[in-house]
Amino acid sequence: MKNLLSIFAIICSTLTFAQKIELKGKITDTDKKPVEAATVYLSSKKDSTLIDYTITDVSGNFKMPVKTIENPTFVTISSIGFEDFSKEFETIKSSVDLGTIQLIPGSDVLEELVITTDAAPVRVKKDTLEFNAASFKVRPDATVKELLEQLPGVEVDDEGKIKVNGKEVSNVLVNGKPFFNEDGKVILENLPAEIINKVQVTDYKSKEEKLTGASTTGETQTINLTIDEDKNKGLFGRFIAGYGTDDRYESSMLFNYFKGDFKVSVLGSSNNINSTGFSTNEIFDNMSGGRNNYYSSSSDGSYSINGLEFGGGKGIYQTDMIGVNYGDNWGKKNKVSMNYLFNEVENNNTNKTRMENLLPDNRYITESESKLKSKTGNHTFNYDIEMELDSLTTLTIVPNIKNTNSTSRNSGFSETRNEMGELLNKSNNTDFLSVDNTIFSNEFLVARRFKRKGRSLSIGFNNENRKNTTDQLKDAAAYFYQTNLPEDIRNQSINTNSHTDAYTVNVVYREPIAPKQTLTFMFNNTWTNEYQGRATYDFNTATGNYSNYNNLLSFQNSLKGVKTAPSVGYQINGEKYFFSINSGTTINNYDVSSLYNNERYLNQRLDILPSVRTYGNYRIGKSMSVYANYSYTETSPYMAQLLEYVDLSSTLSTTQGNKDLKTSTQHSFYLGFNNYDWQSRSGYYLYAGGSYNARSIGMVSTFDENYFSTITYTNINDTYYYWSGINYSKDFKLSDKNKLSIAAGLDFNGNKNKGIQNNIWYTSNNTSLKPEVSVTLDLNKKLILKPSYSYDINYMKYDNLPIQKTNYFVHNAGFMATAYWPKNVVFGSDVMYQYNSNIANGFKKDYLLWNASLGYNFLNERFLAKVKVYDILNQNQSVRRTATPTSIYDSEDTILKQYVMFSLTYKLEKFAGKKKSRFNIDED
C-alpha cells in the first residue's frame, strides 16, 4: 500500500509542480506558404536521444511542451521535399519562440528526402504515415505489439485487432510480404521490436490495385514493418517448454533466419491449455485469458489463420502445430512467398443448455446436455509468386490448398416442456462422424500499366474447387407425448458427398480522362457447378449391416449457372479528397435441380442483380479526415432455400424450400471521422454504419402440440441493423521516463428482425449501449499498471411474442500489472471480473479470473525461468447468455480450471553487423 501511495504522490506532484514551458514557432516555405505536417523534434546533443516531438498544424504552427532542460539540446525541423533545419540550445529554462522558419527546398521534392541528421520520429507523406521505430521507447525484449502500442494514434485491442486513428488495419506485412498470415496476429507477439526500423501505415490495396498503381478506396489500412538493415541478416527465435499440475503442459518455438530478401521462419507448438501456441508473451507465454485474451477470441475459442482453425471448439482441447514461412526474391524480377501449416486438435467438451423458445401464443423450455470428443487435422499450403515480365507488366500466381480430416463422437439428449411443465418431446442421439474436406483455389493475374499515367489493364482467372465427403453413423430417437405422432427411431449409416467448382474471368481497364479523374470498366464472368448428395442406409437386423436404402432420407441436389457482371466506375483523386462510384448489373442465370424419392425437381431462374457503390473521403488536415461509403446490392437465394422437397433429416423438424423466393436487397452505409492532435497527444474518432434490408429472406416456422416444427422460407421486408460509437485517447507525459495514457469509448448498436411463427408475424428490436474506459500508467517500462472497465447494457423488445421485453447488463472489470524490477525479475498479474445480471437460475452469474506469473532472467538474459498460476481463485466458468429474435438461452461448457506451471524460455539472437542500443532504459 505504501508503494502505491508513493506512486500516486509522484504523479500528483509531477502534474502539479512541473514548470510549464514550450517551444513554438511557424514553418513556411520560401514563398511564405505554411508547411503542414512538418516534424519538429527535440534531441539531446550528447547522444541524439529523442526528448520529444510534434508536427505542424494546417497553418504551419507548432507548440511543444517541455520541462526545464539543463543540458545541451538541438531542435530539428524536417519535412519531405525540404532540407532539414536545426538549432542548438545550451539550456532550456523558459519558453522559446522560434518565430517563422523558412524551409529551403531539397533535391527530391516529391516523395523522399535524404536526411543527414537522425531520422524524424514521424513522417506524414501524401498517402503514408511513417514512424521511426527507434524513436519510441520500449523494453529491450519487447515485441511488435508493445511497439505498436507506443505509437500515437495506434490501438491494439483485446482481440488483437489494430486500428490507426480509428481505421481498422486488415493487413500487416514484413518488408512488404505476409508473415504466415496477413492480419498480423502471429507477428504481434512473435517478432521482436528491436529488429524493426520503420512502421509504415498506408491505405489497403488489393493485389490488382498494387500492380496497376490504381487508387484505392482506403476503407481499411495496411501496416508494413521494415527490418533494420543491421538486423536483416541473422537469426533469432524463442523456445518455450513448461509442465504443470494436472498434467498441463505447453511448448512452442519460433525460429527465424533473415538474409536480405531471403527469409525462413519455423513455428511450432504443442499444449493442452486451450492455446493456439502463437503467443510468446514474455509474462504468460501461451496461457489464455487476460492480456492473451485475443488468442481465443471467437465464440467457440477457435482462432483462424489463412482459413486454418487453431483451438477450435468449446471445452478443453489439445493443439499440436507446425508451420514454415518462406520469402525471397528470385533474381531481380521475381518475388516469392509461401507457407505451410499443419495443426491437429483434440477436443473434449460437455455442454449444458437451457433454452426458452418464444412463440406468439406460448413459450417452451428446452433443456439439453451433450458430450463431444473430436480430433481434427488440417494441412494448409499457400504460395504467391510475382513475376515482372517487363517494366510495365507483372504476372502473379497465387495457389492455395487446404485439407481437413476430422473424426468425432457426439452424444446427447434433450427434452421440451410447455409453461405448465408438461412434457412435449424428448430425444437422444449418438453420432460418429468422419469428414474429409479439400479446398483448392488459385488466382492468376496479368497486370499491365501503360506509359500514360493512370491507364492500366488487368486480366485475371480465378478458380475455387471444394470437395467434401462425410461418413456418419447415426443412432437417434425422438418421442412425442401430446398427440399420436409416432416415435422416430433411427439406426443409420449416412454418406454425404458434395463439391463446388467455380471459375471466374475478371477484366479491369482504367482510362484517365483528366489529370485527377479515371474511368474504370470491369467485366466479371463466373461459371458455377455445385452438387450435394446424401445416401442413407438403415440397419438391416437380418444381415447385421447397413443395407436398406432409405429413399426419404436420401437426395441429390445440384446448382449450375453463369453470373455475368459488367460494371463501370468513376474516380476523382485530389490532393485532399477522393471520391469513387461504381455501378453495374449481375445477370445470374442458374438452374437448381433435385432428385428426391425417385422424383425430379427443376427450378430455372434468371435474377437481375443491380448494384451501386460509392466511397469518398476528405482530408481536412494531415491527421484529420472524414470518410463515408454507401452501397446497394441484390443477392440471389441460396440453393437450400429453393429446394422443393421436404427434408426429413432432423428428428424434431422438417424443412422445405420455396422456389418462388425473390432476391434480397440491401442498402449499407458507413460514416467515419478521425482526428489526432500531435501537439496534445490526443485523438478521437467517431463512426456510424448499418444496413437496411428492404427485402431479405427469413424462416417461417410452425410448431404442433409436441413442439415439432415445420420450416420453410419467405421474403421479409424492412429489417435493419446499425452500429455507432466514439473513442478518445490521450497521453500525458509525466516526466522523461513516465507516461499516463487514457482511452475511453462508447458504442451504441441495434437491430430489427422479423419472422413468422404459427402464422403470426413477430418483430424483435435489440439495442445495446457499452461505455468503456482504460488507464495505463507506465513508469519507465519497469512498472506498468492498467485498470479497465466496461458496462454493457442490452434491451430487447418483442411484438406478438409472449414476453414484451427483456433487459440485462454485463459488468467487465480488469486490472493488469507488469513489473520488470528488480533487475532480471519479470512479474505479471491479470485480474478479470464479469457479472451478467440475467443468467438463468442454476447458472452462476459472475466469476473472477486471476492469473499471475513470476520469472527470472539469467545467463545474460538468454534464459527465463518462470512459475505461472492460472485461475488462482479457481472461479473460472464458461456460462453465457445469448438472445435471438425467438429464443433466450443459457449455455455452460467444460472449462479449463486452476493449474500451476513451471516453464523455461530460451531466447536466440544473432545478427550480422554491429548491434545498436536504442532503448535507453535505466537499469538502476
Side-chain angles (χ1 to χ4, degrees), residues 373-428:
K373 183 177 179 65
S374 66
K375 184 175 182 179
T376 303
N378 295 283
H379 299 266
T380 298
F381 174 77
N382 301 291
Y383 181 79
D384 188 330
I385 182 168
E386 184 178 306
M387 296 177 284
E388 186 179 314
L389 303 182
D390 58 44
S391 60
L392 297 174
T393 310
T394 305
L395 166 67
T396 67
I397 305 174
V398 188
N400 302 276
I401 302 173
K402 177 182 177 181
N403 176 257
T404 300
N405 287 278
S406 66
T407 57
S408 65
R409 181 185 187 276
N410 187 21
S411 60
F413 70 89
S414 70
E415 61 178 36
T416 300
R417 298 177 182 270
N418 60 22
E419 288 183 298
M420 296 175 289
E422 297 174 329
L423 182 63
L424 306 182
N425 68 61
K426 67 179 180 180
S427 65
N428 58 71

Side-chain angles (χ1 to χ4, degrees), residues 427-428 474 476-478 480 488-490 648-653 708:
S427 65
N428 58 71
K474 186 179 188 67
F480 307 97
D488 190 348
I489 310 295
R490 303 183 184 185
L648 307 174
S649 302
S650 172
T651 58
L652 295 176
S653 66
F708 182 92

Side-chain angles (χ1 to χ4, degrees), residues 224-270:
N224 181 47
L225 305 170
T226 67
I227 296 179
D228 196 307
E229 187 176 347
D230 287 339
K231 306 290 172 52
N232 205 25
K233 184 178 181 181
L235 53 89
F236 64 93
R238 186 173 299 190
F239 306 85
I240 300 172
Y243 186 78
T245 57
D246 297 329
D247 290 328
R248 298 296 170 203
Y249 70 90
E250 66 171 328
S251 62
S252 62
M253 71 166 183
L254 175 68
F255 175 82
N256 303 274
Y257 176 73
F258 289 0
K259 186 177 181 181
D261 295 319
F262 176 79
K263 299 174 180 64
V264 173
S265 301
V266 180
L267 189 67
S269 174
S270 179

Side-chain angles (χ1 to χ4, degrees), residues 638-649:
Y638 297 120
M639 180 170 67
Q641 297 169 333
L642 297 170
L643 299 175
E644 298 178 61
Y645 63 86
V646 178
D647 186 351
L648 307 174
S649 302

